[in-house]
Amino acid sequence: MAAATISLQAPALYAGPDDDSLVWVTNREANVPLVWWENLVDIAAMQHHFFDTLVYRNPETMEYEPLLATSWERIDDLTLEFKLREGVTFHDGSAFDADDVVVSYSKLIDPATQVMNASLVKWISSVEKVDDMTVRIHAAKPFPAAFEFLSGTRMGIMPSEVWENPPKAADGSPDYANMPVIGTGPYKMISFEPGGDMVLERNEDYFDGPKGHPAIKTVTMKTVLDSETAIAELMVGQVDWVTSLTQDAVDSLRGMPGIEVLDGPDMRISYLMLDATGRSGETPVADIRVRKAIAHAIDKPSIAKNLVGPAAQVLNAGCYPTQVGCSQEVEPYAYDPALSKELLAEAGYGEGLHITIDAYRDRYLLEAILGNLAEVGIDADINMLQWAGLRSKMNDSKVEVAQTGWASSGLNDISGIASVLLKMTPDDYCQNPEVKALLDTADTTIDEAKRAATYKQALEKVNEELCWIPLYSHSKPYAYNEQLDFHATADGFPLFFLASWK
C-alpha cells in the first residue's frame, strides 16, 4: 500500500506560547495519517483531534456524552438509534449528515477495506439510515460495550464522498490510506510527511460540544527517533511535550527550569501468566501450592511504589480499575514470604525449585520479582524475547511462566482484556471453559449489574486457579513546557484540544 502524502506545505516549527504552537515528540515513524492503516498510538491520538465520533468519553468522569450524536436510544438488544447533531460541517465545508455515518462505518466493517485491528469495528453488522439526521447501528450480537467502542479513535467519521471516491493504487484498486483527511474535529490536518511530521491547525468553526473549543492554535507531531535529542530539544524550547522516555530519563528532568514532569496513569497492566495445566511439560508450576507460593512471594506494593512509578496501582484482578466490569474486590494474595515457604514445603519443594520466566519487556521489574522469589527458595531464569517470539512460544505450549502485559487498546471496558486473553485461545494458559462461558455471557449481557457480577465471577475463578498473577498498572511519565496546562489520561492518548497555555 502506498504511503500517504499530503501536498500542503508544512510551516516552520516554532514551539511555545509566543507562537501559540505546541510541538510534541513521537519516537515512531508513521507512514500514513490514518489509524485504520497505521497502528500507532500517536496516529490514534491525532485522530481524536481531526475526527469526531458519535459519542465522547469524558476523560474526567469516564461518562459517555453526546458528540456527533445528540441523543440515542436502545431499540432492542441488537439495535442502537442515534439522533445526529444539526449544523455540523466538515473541514472542507460540506454538511454532516446520516450518509456520512452510514458510509464511513459501512466501509470500516467491509473486509475489502482491510482496516487494521478490525476486531474493534466488526461487532457492527450493518448501519442503517433512518432519515437525514438519524441512523441505526445493528450489532451482530448483543454488545453492551458498544458506547466504549463508538467513542474510540477508530470510529471517526469522514464525508461519504471521500470514502466513495478514494484514490487509486497502481493496480486500479482503491487506495484508502491515501484519502484526504477530512473530519469535523477541533483541529484540521494541514500537512503530513510520511516518516516525519504532522501539523494540525485549530478549526475556528468547531461546534459547541463536549470537546470544547481548542485554546492552542497549532499542534505539531514531530518525529524524533532518539530520546536524547528529544530531551535536548525540550530543554532549549524547540519542542513542548515529550513522552516514551524511560523513568530515569524523566527523573533527570525533575527540577529543571522551565520543564514540568508529570507521572500520569497508564491503562497498561502487567501480570504473570503461569502454566496451571502443565501444557509445557512437567513443571512445578502446575501445582496450585507452588503458584500460591509465587503469588505470596512477590512484594507488589514495594515494586509498584519504588520501580514502576508514582501513578502505578497494585492489582488484585487482571484489569484496569476504571474499566467497566472490572472488580478488584477479589481475594488478594498478600506479600507473605513465610507463607510462601510453607506452601513450597507442603508441595515437596522445601529445598527450593527452579523455573524459567519468559518476557518481552520491563526486565528491571522482572529482576525485582526474581529477587523476591529467591528469598523464598525459588530460583528463576529470565528469558527475554521479542513480543512475536514470546507469543509464538505461548501458542506452542512451551511457556512455564511469562511476565507480560496488556493495554486493552485504550478501551475502558474489561472486555478489552479479559475477553481477549481468557477465552481459551492458544495463548490462554488458563484454558478454563467455565471462565470462557462466564465471559461469553458477560460480553452479551445488556443489564449492567448482571454483566458486572458475571465478570466478577470470571475474575474470581481466575484468581482461585492462579493461572494469572495480576501485578500492577503502570505509570506513564511526561515531560513538557511548564507553561503548558496538560491533563494525562490512562488510555495514553494526549488530548491537546483540552490543553492550554497558562
Side-chain angles (χ1 to χ4, degrees), residues 370-405:
L370 262 60
N372 287 160
L373 296 179
E375 291 175 2
V376 300
I378 300 175
D379 177 40
D381 291 331
I382 296 176
N383 182 32
M384 297 301 296
L385 301 164
Q386 297 293 323
W387 165 242
L390 176 58
R391 183 73 178 272
S392 176
K393 191 172 181 180
M394 290 160 60
N395 287 340
D396 291 341
S397 302
K398 295 179 179 179
V399 169
E400 188 174 24
V401 180
Q403 176 190 255
T404 185

PDB file of all heavy atoms in Angstrom, residues 370-405:
ATOM      1  N   LEU A 370      12.310 -11.549  40.640  1.00  0.00           N
ATOM      2  CA  LEU A 370      13.226 -12.663  40.855  1.00  0.00           C
ATOM      3  C   LEU A 370      13.922 -12.563  42.211  1.00  0.00           C
ATOM      4  O   LEU A 370      14.178 -13.583  42.873  1.00  0.00           O
ATOM      5  CB  LEU A 370      14.275 -12.719  39.735  1.00  0.00           C
ATOM      6  CG  LEU A 370      13.973 -13.721  38.609  1.00  0.00           C
ATOM      7  CD1 LEU A 370      12.657 -13.403  37.924  1.00  0.00           C
ATOM      8  CD2 LEU A 370      15.095 -13.730  37.595  1.00  0.00           C
ATOM      9  N   GLY A 371      14.216 -11.331  42.627  1.00  0.00           N
ATOM     10  CA  GLY A 371      14.800 -11.145  43.948  1.00  0.00           C
ATOM     11  C   GLY A 371      13.854 -11.614  45.049  1.00  0.00           C
ATOM     12  O   GLY A 371      14.273 -12.269  46.013  1.00  0.00           O
ATOM     13  N   ASN A 372      12.566 -11.293  44.905  1.00  0.00           N
ATOM     14  CA  ASN A 372      11.577 -11.767  45.868  1.00  0.00           C
ATOM     15  C   ASN A 372      11.479 -13.290  45.878  1.00  0.00           C
ATOM     16  O   ASN A 372      11.414 -13.917  46.944  1.00  0.00           O
ATOM     17  CB  ASN A 372      10.187 -11.205  45.525  1.00  0.00           C
ATOM     18  CG  ASN A 372      10.027  -9.739  45.825  1.00  0.00           C
ATOM     19  OD1 ASN A 372       9.137  -9.094  45.290  1.00  0.00           O
ATOM     20  ND2 ASN A 372      10.868  -9.179  46.679  1.00  0.00           N
ATOM     21  N   LEU A 373      11.477 -13.890  44.695  1.00  0.00           N
ATOM     22  CA  LEU A 373      11.354 -15.348  44.606  1.00  0.00           C
ATOM     23  C   LEU A 373      12.564 -16.044  45.228  1.00  0.00           C
ATOM     24  O   LEU A 373      12.427 -17.068  45.913  1.00  0.00           O
ATOM     25  CB  LEU A 373      11.187 -15.772  43.151  1.00  0.00           C
ATOM     26  CG  LEU A 373       9.920 -15.285  42.428  1.00  0.00           C
ATOM     27  CD1 LEU A 373       9.903 -15.765  40.978  1.00  0.00           C
ATOM     28  CD2 LEU A 373       8.661 -15.750  43.154  1.00  0.00           C
ATOM     29  N   ALA A 374      13.741 -15.481  45.002  1.00  0.00           N
ATOM     30  CA  ALA A 374      14.962 -16.086  45.544  1.00  0.00           C
ATOM     31  C   ALA A 374      14.923 -16.130  47.073  1.00  0.00           C
ATOM     32  O   ALA A 374      15.443 -17.067  47.699  1.00  0.00           O
ATOM     33  CB  ALA A 374      16.183 -15.315  45.060  1.00  0.00           C
ATOM     34  N   GLU A 375      14.283 -15.140  47.681  1.00  0.00           N
ATOM     35  CA  GLU A 375      14.221 -15.077  49.142  1.00  0.00           C
ATOM     36  C   GLU A 375      13.434 -16.235  49.744  1.00  0.00           C
ATOM     37  O   GLU A 375      13.619 -16.575  50.917  1.00  0.00           O
ATOM     38  CB  GLU A 375      13.608 -13.745  49.578  1.00  0.00           C
ATOM     39  CG  GLU A 375      14.509 -12.549  49.303  1.00  0.00           C
ATOM     40  CD  GLU A 375      13.822 -11.231  49.632  1.00  0.00           C
ATOM     41  OE1 GLU A 375      12.666 -11.269  50.114  1.00  0.00           O
ATOM     42  OE2 GLU A 375      14.434 -10.176  49.398  1.00  0.00           O
ATOM     43  N   VAL A 376      12.553 -16.851  48.953  1.00  0.00           N
ATOM     44  CA  VAL A 376      11.758 -17.967  49.491  1.00  0.00           C
ATOM     45  C   VAL A 376      12.235 -19.308  48.936  1.00  0.00           C
ATOM     46  O   VAL A 376      11.626 -20.348  49.204  1.00  0.00           O
ATOM     47  CB  VAL A 376      10.251 -17.770  49.201  1.00  0.00           C
ATOM     48  CG1 VAL A 376       9.754 -16.487  49.833  1.00  0.00           C
ATOM     49  CG2 VAL A 376       9.957 -17.809  47.708  1.00  0.00           C
ATOM     50  N   GLY A 377      13.303 -19.293  48.132  1.00  0.00           N
ATOM     51  CA  GLY A 377      13.873 -20.540  47.636  1.00  0.00           C
ATOM     52  C   GLY A 377      13.505 -20.901  46.218  1.00  0.00           C
ATOM     53  O   GLY A 377      13.726 -22.040  45.782  1.00  0.00           O
ATOM     54  N   ILE A 378      12.939 -19.940  45.461  1.00  0.00           N
ATOM     55  CA  ILE A 378      12.612 -20.184  44.053  1.00  0.00           C
ATOM     56  C   ILE A 378      13.681 -19.542  43.193  1.00  0.00           C
ATOM     57  O   ILE A 378      13.832 -18.317  43.173  1.00  0.00           O
ATOM     58  CB  ILE A 378      11.226 -19.625  43.689  1.00  0.00           C
ATOM     59  CG1 ILE A 378      10.143 -20.281  44.543  1.00  0.00           C
ATOM     60  CG2 ILE A 378      10.935 -19.850  42.202  1.00  0.00           C
ATOM     61  CD1 ILE A 378       8.754 -19.705  44.345  1.00  0.00           C
ATOM     62  N   ASP A 379      14.430 -20.363  42.489  1.00  0.00           N
ATOM     63  CA  ASP A 379      15.477 -19.885  41.590  1.00  0.00           C
ATOM     64  C   ASP A 379      14.871 -19.754  40.203  1.00  0.00           C
ATOM     65  O   ASP A 379      14.319 -20.719  39.663  1.00  0.00           O
ATOM     66  CB  ASP A 379      16.639 -20.887  41.572  1.00  0.00           C
ATOM     67  CG  ASP A 379      17.726 -20.488  40.589  1.00  0.00           C
ATOM     68  OD1 ASP A 379      18.023 -19.286  40.497  1.00  0.00           O
ATOM     69  OD2 ASP A 379      18.253 -21.387  39.902  1.00  0.00           O
ATOM     70  N   ALA A 380      14.951 -18.585  39.616  1.00  0.00           N
ATOM     71  CA  ALA A 380      14.311 -18.353  38.322  1.00  0.00           C
ATOM     72  C   ALA A 380      15.292 -17.739  37.336  1.00  0.00           C
ATOM     73  O   ALA A 380      16.096 -16.871  37.692  1.00  0.00           O
ATOM     74  CB  ALA A 380      13.105 -17.428  38.485  1.00  0.00           C
ATOM     75  N   ASP A 381      15.220 -18.212  36.097  1.00  0.00           N
ATOM     76  CA  ASP A 381      15.981 -17.633  35.000  1.00  0.00           C
ATOM     77  C   ASP A 381      15.071 -16.709  34.196  1.00  0.00           C
ATOM     78  O   ASP A 381      13.863 -16.961  34.058  1.00  0.00           O
ATOM     79  CB  ASP A 381      16.503 -18.727  34.058  1.00  0.00           C
ATOM     80  CG  ASP A 381      17.578 -19.584  34.698  1.00  0.00           C
ATOM     81  OD1 ASP A 381      18.290 -19.067  35.578  1.00  0.00           O
ATOM     82  OD2 ASP A 381      17.692 -20.764  34.320  1.00  0.00           O
ATOM     83  N   ILE A 382      15.659 -15.655  33.626  1.00  0.00           N
ATOM     84  CA  ILE A 382      14.934 -14.748  32.738  1.00  0.00           C
ATOM     85  C   ILE A 382      15.285 -15.090  31.300  1.00  0.00           C
ATOM     86  O   ILE A 382      16.460 -15.225  30.949  1.00  0.00           O
ATOM     87  CB  ILE A 382      15.294 -13.281  33.020  1.00  0.00           C
ATOM     88  CG1 ILE A 382      14.863 -12.881  34.428  1.00  0.00           C
ATOM     89  CG2 ILE A 382      14.640 -12.365  31.985  1.00  0.00           C
ATOM     90  CD1 ILE A 382      15.285 -11.461  34.804  1.00  0.00           C
ATOM     91  N   ASN A 383      14.277 -15.211  30.474  1.00  0.00           N
ATOM     92  CA  ASN A 383      14.474 -15.434  29.046  1.00  0.00           C
ATOM     93  C   ASN A 383      13.765 -14.306  28.294  1.00  0.00           C
ATOM     94  O   ASN A 383      12.539 -14.315  28.159  1.00  0.00           O
ATOM     95  CB  ASN A 383      13.916 -16.798  28.631  1.00  0.00           C
ATOM     96  CG  ASN A 383      14.150 -17.082  27.156  1.00  0.00           C
ATOM     97  OD1 ASN A 383      15.139 -16.655  26.581  1.00  0.00           O
ATOM     98  ND2 ASN A 383      13.227 -17.809  26.536  1.00  0.00           N
ATOM     99  N   MET A 384      14.539 -13.298  27.841  1.00  0.00           N
ATOM    100  CA  MET A 384      13.958 -12.145  27.153  1.00  0.00           C
ATOM    101  C   MET A 384      13.789 -12.452  25.666  1.00  0.00           C
ATOM    102  O   MET A 384      14.710 -12.927  24.999  1.00  0.00           O
ATOM    103  CB  MET A 384      14.825 -10.907  27.335  1.00  0.00           C
ATOM    104  CG  MET A 384      14.962 -10.433  28.772  1.00  0.00           C
ATOM    105  SD  MET A 384      13.385 -10.009  29.593  1.00  0.00           S
ATOM    106  CE  MET A 384      12.836  -8.614  28.574  1.00  0.00           C
ATOM    107  N   LEU A 385      12.608 -12.143  25.142  1.00  0.00           N
ATOM    108  CA  LEU A 385      12.265 -12.385  23.745  1.00  0.00           C
ATOM    109  C   LEU A 385      11.632 -11.135  23.145  1.00  0.00           C
ATOM    110  O   LEU A 385      11.222 -10.223  23.861  1.00  0.00           O
ATOM    111  CB  LEU A 385      11.264 -13.551  23.641  1.00  0.00           C
ATOM    112  CG  LEU A 385      11.696 -14.910  24.194  1.00  0.00           C
ATOM    113  CD1 LEU A 385      10.473 -15.805  24.357  1.00  0.00           C
ATOM    114  CD2 LEU A 385      12.708 -15.559  23.276  1.00  0.00           C
ATOM    115  N   GLN A 386      11.544 -11.095  21.826  1.00  0.00           N
ATOM    116  CA  GLN A 386      10.686 -10.125  21.180  1.00  0.00           C
ATOM    117  C   GLN A 386       9.234 -10.559  21.403  1.00  0.00           C
ATOM    118  O   GLN A 386       8.964 -11.737  21.651  1.00  0.00           O
ATOM    119  CB  GLN A 386      10.988 -10.040  19.676  1.00  0.00           C
ATOM    120  CG  GLN A 386      12.380  -9.566  19.346  1.00  0.00           C
ATOM    121  CD  GLN A 386      12.611  -8.111  19.729  1.00  0.00           C
ATOM    122  OE1 GLN A 386      11.709  -7.290  19.592  1.00  0.00           O
ATOM    123  NE2 GLN A 386      13.799  -7.805  20.207  1.00  0.00           N
ATOM    124  N   TRP A 387       8.285  -9.613  21.304  1.00  0.00           N
ATOM    125  CA  TRP A 387       6.886  -9.959  21.541  1.00  0.00           C
ATOM    126  C   TRP A 387       6.427 -11.096  20.626  1.00  0.00           C
ATOM    127  O   TRP A 387       5.759 -12.042  21.073  1.00  0.00           O
ATOM    128  CB  TRP A 387       5.990  -8.753  21.375  1.00  0.00           C
ATOM    129  CG  TRP A 387       4.526  -9.100  21.262  1.00  0.00           C
ATOM    130  CD1 TRP A 387       3.696  -8.874  20.225  1.00  0.00           C
ATOM    131  CD2 TRP A 387       3.727  -9.777  22.267  1.00  0.00           C
ATOM    132  NE1 TRP A 387       2.435  -9.352  20.498  1.00  0.00           N
ATOM    133  CE2 TRP A 387       2.427  -9.906  21.739  1.00  0.00           C
ATOM    134  CE3 TRP A 387       3.993 -10.275  23.537  1.00  0.00           C
ATOM    135  CZ2 TRP A 387       1.387 -10.518  22.441  1.00  0.00           C
ATOM    136  CZ3 TRP A 387       2.950 -10.893  24.242  1.00  0.00           C
ATOM    137  CH2 TRP A 387       1.678 -11.006  23.700  1.00  0.00           C
ATOM    138  N   ALA A 388       6.806 -11.043  19.353  1.00  0.00           N
ATOM    139  CA  ALA A 388       6.388 -12.089  18.419  1.00  0.00           C
ATOM    140  C   ALA A 388       6.929 -13.446  18.847  1.00  0.00           C
ATOM    141  O   ALA A 388       6.239 -14.471  18.736  1.00  0.00           O
ATOM    142  CB  ALA A 388       6.853 -11.753  17.003  1.00  0.00           C
ATOM    143  N   GLY A 389       8.156 -13.471  19.358  1.00  0.00           N
ATOM    144  CA  GLY A 389       8.744 -14.720  19.809  1.00  0.00           C
ATOM    145  C   GLY A 389       8.051 -15.266  21.040  1.00  0.00           C
ATOM    146  O   GLY A 389       7.830 -16.479  21.160  1.00  0.00           O
ATOM    147  N   LEU A 390       7.708 -14.371  21.984  1.00  0.00           N
ATOM    148  CA  LEU A 390       7.001 -14.807  23.179  1.00  0.00           C
ATOM    149  C   LEU A 390       5.616 -15.332  22.814  1.00  0.00           C
ATOM    150  O   LEU A 390       5.188 -16.387  23.299  1.00  0.00           O
ATOM    151  CB  LEU A 390       6.887 -13.652  24.177  1.00  0.00           C
ATOM    152  CG  LEU A 390       6.084 -13.945  25.453  1.00  0.00           C
ATOM    153  CD1 LEU A 390       6.678 -15.122  26.222  1.00  0.00           C
ATOM    154  CD2 LEU A 390       6.003 -12.707  26.340  1.00  0.00           C
ATOM    155  N   ARG A 391       4.929 -14.608  21.946  1.00  0.00           N
ATOM    156  CA  ARG A 391       3.582 -15.038  21.533  1.00  0.00           C
ATOM    157  C   ARG A 391       3.634 -16.403  20.856  1.00  0.00           C
ATOM    158  O   ARG A 391       2.800 -17.284  21.114  1.00  0.00           O
ATOM    159  CB  ARG A 391       2.994 -13.988  20.590  1.00  0.00           C
ATOM    160  CG  ARG A 391       1.563 -14.270  20.123  1.00  0.00           C
ATOM    161  CD  ARG A 391       0.585 -14.043  21.245  1.00  0.00           C
ATOM    162  NE  ARG A 391      -0.781 -14.269  20.816  1.00  0.00           N
ATOM    163  CZ  ARG A 391      -1.556 -13.332  20.275  1.00  0.00           C
ATOM    164  NH1 ARG A 391      -1.079 -12.109  20.097  1.00  0.00           N
ATOM    165  NH2 ARG A 391      -2.790 -13.607  19.935  1.00  0.00           N
ATOM    166  N   SER A 392       4.643 -16.611  19.999  1.00  0.00           N
ATOM    167  CA  SER A 392       4.794 -17.896  19.316  1.00  0.00           C
ATOM    168  C   SER A 392       5.066 -19.010  20.313  1.00  0.00           C
ATOM    169  O   SER A 392       4.494 -20.114  20.219  1.00  0.00           O
ATOM    170  CB  SER A 392       5.929 -17.808  18.291  1.00  0.00           C
ATOM    171  OG  SER A 392       6.156 -19.054  17.679  1.00  0.00           O
ATOM    172  N   LYS A 393       5.913 -18.741  21.298  1.00  0.00           N
ATOM    173  CA  LYS A 393       6.244 -19.743  22.307  1.00  0.00           C
ATOM    174  C   LYS A 393       5.019 -20.075  23.155  1.00  0.00           C
ATOM    175  O   LYS A 393       4.794 -21.243  23.524  1.00  0.00           O
ATOM    176  CB  LYS A 393       7.391 -19.231  23.177  1.00  0.00           C
ATOM    177  CG  LYS A 393       7.997 -20.290  24.090  1.00  0.00           C
ATOM    178  CD  LYS A 393       9.255 -19.766  24.785  1.00  0.00           C
ATOM    179  CE  LYS A 393       9.858 -20.857  25.687  1.00  0.00           C
ATOM    180  NZ  LYS A 393      11.078 -20.377  26.371  1.00  0.00           N
ATOM    181  N   MET A 394       4.222 -19.070  23.458  1.00  0.00           N
ATOM    182  CA  MET A 394       2.993 -19.301  24.201  1.00  0.00           C
ATOM    183  C   MET A 394       2.031 -20.172  23.394  1.00  0.00           C
ATOM    184  O   MET A 394       1.447 -21.130  23.919  1.00  0.00           O
ATOM    185  CB  MET A 394       2.344 -17.959  24.559  1.00  0.00           C
ATOM    186  CG  MET A 394       3.105 -17.159  25.613  1.00  0.00           C
ATOM    187  SD  MET A 394       2.715 -15.389  25.622  1.00  0.00           S
ATOM    188  CE  MET A 394       0.969 -15.398  25.946  1.00  0.00           C
ATOM    189  N   ASN A 395       1.881 -19.853  22.123  1.00  0.00           N
ATOM    190  CA  ASN A 395       0.978 -20.617  21.264  1.00  0.00           C
ATOM    191  C   ASN A 395       1.432 -22.066  21.115  1.00  0.00           C
ATOM    192  O   ASN A 395       0.607 -22.967  20.919  1.00  0.00           O
ATOM    193  CB  ASN A 395       0.877 -19.966  19.887  1.00  0.00           C
ATOM    194  CG  ASN A 395       0.076 -18.678  19.910  1.00  0.00           C
ATOM    195  OD1 ASN A 395      -0.704 -18.442  20.828  1.00  0.00           O
ATOM    196  ND2 ASN A 395       0.259 -17.843  18.907  1.00  0.00           N
ATOM    197  N   ASP A 396       2.736 -22.281  21.208  1.00  0.00           N
ATOM    198  CA  ASP A 396       3.288 -23.628  21.050  1.00  0.00           C
ATOM    199  C   ASP A 396       3.362 -24.400  22.368  1.00  0.00           C
ATOM    200  O   ASP A 396       3.974 -25.468  22.432  1.00  0.00           O
ATOM    201  CB  ASP A 396       4.694 -23.549  20.434  1.00  0.00           C
ATOM    202  CG  ASP A 396       4.672 -23.085  18.991  1.00  0.00           C
ATOM    203  OD1 ASP A 396       3.596 -23.176  18.354  1.00  0.00           O
ATOM    204  OD2 ASP A 396       5.712 -22.617  18.498  1.00  0.00           O
ATOM    205  N   SER A 397       2.761 -23.853  23.422  1.00  0.00           N
ATOM    206  CA  SER A 397       2.701 -24.521  24.733  1.00  0.00           C
ATOM    207  C   SER A 397       4.076 -24.783  25.339  1.00  0.00           C
ATOM    208  O   SER A 397       4.319 -25.825  25.948  1.00  0.00           O
ATOM    209  CB  SER A 397       1.921 -25.852  24.620  1.00  0.00           C
ATOM    210  OG  SER A 397       0.612 -25.636  24.143  1.00  0.00           O
ATOM    211  N   LYS A 398       4.977 -23.818  25.197  1.00  0.00           N
ATOM    212  CA  LYS A 398       6.336 -24.008  25.689  1.00  0.00           C
ATOM    213  C   LYS A 398       6.711 -23.043  26.813  1.00  0.00           C
ATOM    214  O   LYS A 398       7.878 -22.925  27.174  1.00  0.00           O
ATOM    215  CB  LYS A 398       7.323 -23.855  24.531  1.00  0.00           C
ATOM    216  CG  LYS A 398       7.182 -24.931  23.446  1.00  0.00           C
ATOM    217  CD  LYS A 398       8.175 -24.714  22.321  1.00  0.00           C
ATOM    218  CE  LYS A 398       8.051 -25.803  21.259  1.00  0.00           C
ATOM    219  NZ  LYS A 398       8.990 -25.597  20.127  1.00  0.00           N
ATOM    220  N   VAL A 399       5.714 -22.354  27.364  1.00  0.00           N
ATOM    221  CA  VAL A 399       5.991 -21.361  28.395  1.00  0.00           C
ATOM    222  C   VAL A 399       5.605 -21.910  29.768  1.00  0.00           C
ATOM    223  O   VAL A 399       4.496 -22.420  29.963  1.00  0.00           O
ATOM    224  CB  VAL A 399       5.216 -20.057  28.116  1.00  0.00           C
ATOM    225  CG1 VAL A 399       5.284 -19.119  29.311  1.00  0.00           C
ATOM    226  CG2 VAL A 399       5.784 -19.372  26.885  1.00  0.00           C
ATOM    227  N   GLU A 400       6.520 -21.796  30.698  1.00  0.00           N
ATOM    228  CA  GLU A 400       6.276 -22.219  32.079  1.00  0.00           C
ATOM    229  C   GLU A 400       5.655 -21.056  32.865  1.00  0.00           C
ATOM    230  O   GLU A 400       4.608 -21.193  33.488  1.00  0.00           O
ATOM    231  CB  GLU A 400       7.596 -22.661  32.702  1.00  0.00           C
ATOM    232  CG  GLU A 400       7.484 -23.305  34.064  1.00  0.00           C
ATOM    233  CD  GLU A 400       8.830 -23.838  34.543  1.00  0.00           C
ATOM    234  OE1 GLU A 400       9.892 -23.328  34.083  1.00  0.00           O
ATOM    235  OE2 GLU A 400       8.828 -24.744  35.391  1.00  0.00           O
ATOM    236  N   VAL A 401       6.322 -19.930  32.832  1.00  0.00           N
ATOM    237  CA  VAL A 401       5.820 -18.684  33.423  1.00  0.00           C
ATOM    238  C   VAL A 401       6.207 -17.563  32.475  1.00  0.00           C
ATOM    239  O   VAL A 401       7.303 -17.571  31.905  1.00  0.00           O
ATOM    240  CB  VAL A 401       6.432 -18.415  34.817  1.00  0.00           C
ATOM    241  CG1 VAL A 401       5.885 -17.101  35.396  1.00  0.00           C
ATOM    242  CG2 VAL A 401       6.168 -19.562  35.771  1.00  0.00           C
ATOM    243  N   ALA A 402       5.317 -16.589  32.289  1.00  0.00           N
ATOM    244  CA  ALA A 402       5.643 -15.434  31.453  1.00  0.00           C
ATOM    245  C   ALA A 402       5.259 -14.153  32.178  1.00  0.00           C
ATOM    246  O   ALA A 402       4.208 -14.090  32.831  1.00  0.00           O
ATOM    247  CB  ALA A 402       4.924 -15.508  30.110  1.00  0.00           C
ATOM    248  N   GLN A 403       6.126 -13.171  32.093  1.00  0.00           N
ATOM    249  CA  GLN A 403       5.744 -11.829  32.506  1.00  0.00           C
ATOM    250  C   GLN A 403       5.312 -11.097  31.245  1.00  0.00           C
ATOM    251  O   GLN A 403       6.082 -10.965  30.286  1.00  0.00           O
ATOM    252  CB  GLN A 403       6.894 -11.060  33.147  1.00  0.00           C
ATOM    253  CG  GLN A 403       6.490  -9.615  33.483  1.00  0.00           C
ATOM    254  CD  GLN A 403       7.656  -8.744  33.903  1.00  0.00           C
ATOM    255  OE1 GLN A 403       7.823  -8.448  35.069  1.00  0.00           O
ATOM    256  NE2 GLN A 403       8.475  -8.329  32.953  1.00  0.00           N
ATOM    257  N   THR A 404       4.091 -10.653  31.221  1.00  0.00           N
ATOM    258  CA  THR A 404       3.606  -9.947  30.045  1.00  0.00           C
ATOM    259  C   THR A 404       2.665  -8.835  30.491  1.00  0.00           C
ATOM    260  O   THR A 404       2.504  -8.574  31.687  1.00  0.00           O
ATOM    261  CB  THR A 404       2.933 -10.934  29.064  1.00  0.00           C
ATOM    262  OG1 THR A 404       2.553 -10.253  27.865  1.00  0.00           O
ATOM    263  CG2 THR A 404       1.705 -11.589  29.684  1.00  0.00           C
ATOM    264  N   GLY A 405       2.039  -8.163  29.545  1.00  0.00           N
ATOM    265  CA  GLY A 405       1.174  -7.041  29.878  1.00  0.00           C
ATOM    266  C   GLY A 405       0.178  -6.774  28.774  1.00  0.00           C
ATOM    267  O   GLY A 405       0.239  -7.363  27.691  1.00  0.00           O
TER     268      GLY A 405
END
